Amino acid sequence: LQKVKNDLEMVLLTVRSKNKKLEEDLKREQQWCEEQEEMLDTLNKTEEEIKTQPSTKRGLDELKNKIMKLKTYRKELLSALGEFLDEHFPLPEKDENTKNKNSSAEPAVELITMQEILEMLINKLMTTPHEPYITINESFWPPYIELLLRCGMVLRHPEDAKRLRLEAFHK
């Protein structure tokens, strides 16, 4: 009986140690399973994000289309402005200048159109907003400059009357 008791105690100890080992293995397996589930969740979230990206691509395509429409609209506006300026603000004819001044020694200066003046002013304001002034010379027809000044579209430089800038209407 004693021997059976000792054998059973040994078996009991062996079973307990196996149980402990199995419990530890179970805990490790459960931990590994939890890590795998977290990884799966992360992968699922990433997959959902990837699935939603085509909608952002669609949104990007829509923005590109809007930008293209705005560019074409801008071109149309600029062309309409050019047509308006050509029709209503033509350059003076050379014959009129000669009759008014009665001078044959007139310098042959090519005058700049109103459209070119406005383009120069706009481009200067957009490219160098910190220094938006352009310098006027003989090629700028004085009545155009006077008209722009009186309408409040351009301002003179406070120190140099030969420099103009477009009034910053966007501010």
Side-chain angles (χ1 to χ4, degrees):
L1 264 170
Q2 191 68 17
K3 184 176 187 240
V4 172
K5 179 185 171 202
N6 285 339
D7 286 343
L8 285 175
E9 284 179 356
M10 286 291 269
V11 169
L12 181 63
L13 286 174
T14 307
V15 169
R16 283 185 181 164
S17 85
K18 281 188 176 184
N19 278 345
K20 268 188 180 180
K21 189 173 187 292
L22 287 174
E23 285 176 4
E24 290 173 2
D25 288 345
L26 179 64
K27 286 180 184 178
R28 271 193 306 245
E29 291 292 324
Q30 285 175 340
Q31 186 178 4
W32 180 82
C33 183
E34 289 172 4
E35 290 173 359
Q36 294 300 317
E37 287 175 355
E38 287 176 14
M39 195 181 304
L40 183 65
D41 288 342
T42 307
L43 289 173
N44 287 336
K45 287 178 185 177
T46 307
E47 182 183 16
E48 287 176 19
E49 289 175 7
I50 290 173
K51 286 180 181 178
T52 59
Q53 279 182 354
S55 66
T56 56
K57 184 179 179 186
R58 214 175 311 123
L60 186 62
D61 289 341
E62 289 175 9
L63 284 176
K64 285 180 182 178
N65 287 338
K66 285 181 182 180
I67 289 172
M68 291 300 293
K69 286 179 184 177
L70 285 174
K71 284 183 179 180
T72 55
Y73 182 66
R74 177 181 171 262
K75 285 180 184 177
E76 291 172 4
L77 283 177
L78 288 176
S79 120
L81 175 65
E83 291 173 8
F84 176 82
L85 291 174
D86 288 342
E87 181 181 339
H88 295 287
F89 297 98
L91 283 174
E93 295 179 13
K94 292 182 180 180
D95 296 338
E96 291 178 15
N97 285 340
T98 329
K99 289 179 186 175
N100 290 343
K101 294 189 177 185
N102 293 328
S103 163
S104 61
E106 180 182 327
V109 175
E110 187 72 30
L111 294 177
I112 297 175
T113 64
M114 177 68 96
Q115 181 177 0
E116 292 171 326
I117 294 171
L118 289 174
E119 282 179 8
M120 288 171 61
L121 288 164
I122 291 169
N123 289 338
K124 188 68 171 173
L125 179 67
M126 296 315 251
T127 56
T128 56
H130 56 281
E131 184 59 35
Y133 291 95
I134 62 167
T135 304
I136 57 174
N137 53 31
E138 306 85 39
S139 62
F140 289 80
W141 196 39
Y144 284 167
I145 301 300
E146 188 64 30
L147 175 69
L148 292 172
L149 284 166
R150 286 188 181 192
C151 291
M153 292 177 70
V154 296
L155 299 173
R156 287 198 189 273
H157 191 278
E159 298 170 2
D160 186 5
K162 291 281 186 186
R163 296 176 69 199
L164 297 175
R165 75 171 173 94
L166 188 66
E167 174 64 51
F169 294 108
H170 64 281
K171 291 184 178 179

